[in-house]
């Protein structure tokens, strides 16, 4: 019988620290950005001590936390824009003071939609649409603690908003976006189903956030001494290479304007003069 598939493999305590190693924080209260880390420092840097003892890592974030932190806000912004567009169309036909989108969103959370509509003195039909749009915005701008609550609120907001879709469509608009992130993640992330023994609930490597850990603070296996992290596994070579490639693409060199280069050279010249 074939072994169950996993992106990681187990590693012995005697094995040296290497690129692709997965670290787990000793602190049970560590933030999502520091709870699990993936070592990105190159093997040759370890071999020749080029890293000066600093191990560069990126976080491995639980899937629910990643989606809540990085993807739900994108969906929220798209849905809020639709309701703001409805409000702009209504306001264009009435004598309403100029209100920026940001202030309009704040207003929807600060005051009851019915009171806002009364203050604006809108006609009955427009008042009903505006009240619905403001209520939807207020619901969407609530910030629940869990992914499930966030999805529920985004679906509810669509159903109470101006021009509401059918419930199935409202659910699909949110859920399909989240599902799509697994197969087609942004360029700065990659999904991993498992990162170590007992850590198999799904994670996203987020490559734009960098953490550094001192190598002496990492235990390569079970240890009685106090450490900040312990190694729990190593990603298989193919996944390590894929992650390193994506990491490099995120931080690829970008050409900078000539004005910057001129100012840079001026600063270098001044600094040189100050040192001699």
């Amino acid at each position: 019988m074939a072994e169950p598939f996993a992106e990681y493999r187990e590693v012995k305590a005697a094995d040296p620290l290497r690129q692709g190693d997965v670290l787990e924080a000793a602190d049970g209260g560590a933030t999502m950005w520091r709870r699990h880390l993936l070592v990105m420092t190159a093997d040759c840097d370890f071999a020749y001590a080029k890293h000066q003892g600093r191990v560069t890592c990126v976080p491995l974030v639980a899937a629910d936390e990643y989606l809540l932190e990085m993807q739900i806000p994108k969906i929220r912004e798209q849905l809020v824009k639709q309701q703001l567009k409805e409000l702009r169309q209504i306001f264009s036909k009435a004598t309403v003071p100029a209100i920026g989108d940001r202030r309009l969103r704040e207003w929807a959370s600060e005051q009851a939609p019915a009171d806002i509509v009364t203050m604006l003195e809108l006609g009955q039909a427009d008042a009903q649409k505006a009240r619905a749009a403001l209520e939807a915005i207020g619901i969407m701008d609530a910030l629940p603690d869990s992914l499930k609550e966030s999805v529920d609120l985004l679906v509810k907001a669509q159903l109470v908003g101006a021009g509401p879709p059918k419930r199935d469509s409202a659910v699909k608009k949110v859920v399909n976006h989240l599902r799509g992130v697994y197969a087609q993640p942004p360029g700065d992330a990659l999904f991993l189903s498992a990162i170590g023994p007992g850590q198999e609930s799904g994670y996203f490597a987020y490559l734009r956030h960098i953490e550094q850990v001192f190598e002496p603070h990492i235990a390569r296996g079970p240890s009685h001494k106090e450490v900040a992290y312990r190694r729990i596994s190593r990603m298989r070579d193919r996944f390590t290479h894929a992650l390193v490639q994506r990491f490099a693409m995120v931080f690829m060199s970008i050409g900078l304007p000539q004005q910057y280069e001129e100012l840079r050279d001026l600063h270098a010249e001044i600094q040189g003069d100050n040192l001699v």
Side-chain angles (χ1 to χ4, degrees), residues 11-12 39 42 63 74-75 77-78 115 120 123 127-128 150 154 170 177 182-183 197-198 210 225 233 263 270 274:
V11 62
K12 297 177 182 177
V39 174
K74 294 179 182 179
I75 303 172
E77 290 303 311
Q78 291 172 357
D115 294 341
L120 295 175
Q128 186 175 354
S150 293
L154 292 178
H177 177 106
Y182 285 79
I210 298 173
K225 70 177 183 178
S233 68
L263 284 170
I270 292 172
N274 290 338

Side-chain angles (χ1 to χ4, degrees), residues 2-52:
E3 290 186 9
F5 171 81
E7 296 94 332
Y8 72 91
R9 64 181 178 85
E10 295 188 25
V11 62
K12 297 177 182 177
D15 293 338
L17 198 65
R18 287 292 180 260
Q19 187 177 75
D21 282 356
V22 178
L23 313 179
E24 182 176 65
D27 178 8
T31 68
M32 59 185 272
W33 305 112
R34 296 185 61 86
R35 193 178 304 133
H36 290 101
L37 301 177
L38 178 72
V39 174
M40 302 300 289
T41 299
D43 289 352
C44 63
D45 288 352
F46 283 119
Y48 295 102
K50 294 179 182 179
H51 62 311
Q52 300 298 314

Side-chain angles (χ1 to χ4, degrees), residues 221-234:
S223 174
H224 294 294
K225 70 177 183 178
E226 190 172 333
V227 292
Y229 284 88
R230 65 184 185 91
R231 179 175 61 185
I232 60 172
S233 68
R234 178 174 293 166

Side-chain angles (χ1 to χ4, degrees), residues 54-105:
R54 294 178 180 271
V55 180
T56 299
C57 306
V58 295
L60 298 167
V61 183
D64 278 12
E65 290 178 317
Y66 171 81
L67 295 174
L68 178 62
E69 181 78 14
M70 307 303 296
Q71 297 301 321
I72 286 292
K74 294 179 182 179
I75 303 172
R76 182 184 297 120
E77 290 303 311
Q78 291 172 357
L79 296 177
V80 166
K81 279 182 181 178
Q82 294 174 8
Q83 299 302 318
L84 289 173
K85 183 179 179 181
E86 292 281 353
L87 288 172
R88 292 293 172 213
Q89 291 176 348
I90 294 168
F91 291 174
S92 68
K93 300 181 291 183
T95 307
V96 175
I99 308 172
D101 286 352
R102 181 175 178 180
R103 178 59 194 139
L104 196 52
R105 289 179 70 168

Side-chain angles (χ1 to χ4, degrees), residues 79 82-83 155 157-171 173:
L79 296 177
Q82 294 174 8
Q83 299 302 318
V155 171
Q158 292 179 77
L159 298 179
V160 304
K166 292 183 179 179
R167 179 175 177 79
D168 285 351
S169 296
V171 171
K173 199 158 199 174

Side-chain angles (χ1 to χ4, degrees), residues 3 23 27 48 52 62 100 108 112 123 126 129 147 181 189 207 269:
E3 290 186 9
L23 313 179
D27 178 8
Y48 295 102
Q52 300 298 314
D126 285 342
K129 287 183 180 178
L147 180 64
V181 174
L207 306 172
E269 186 177 339

Side-chain angles (χ1 to χ4, degrees), residues 190 207 236-247:
L190 185 69
L207 306 172
R236 296 188 183 277
D237 288 348
R238 176 168 293 188
F239 292 95
T240 297
H241 296 158
L243 286 159
V244 170
Q245 182 185 52
R246 279 181 173 250
F247 180 77

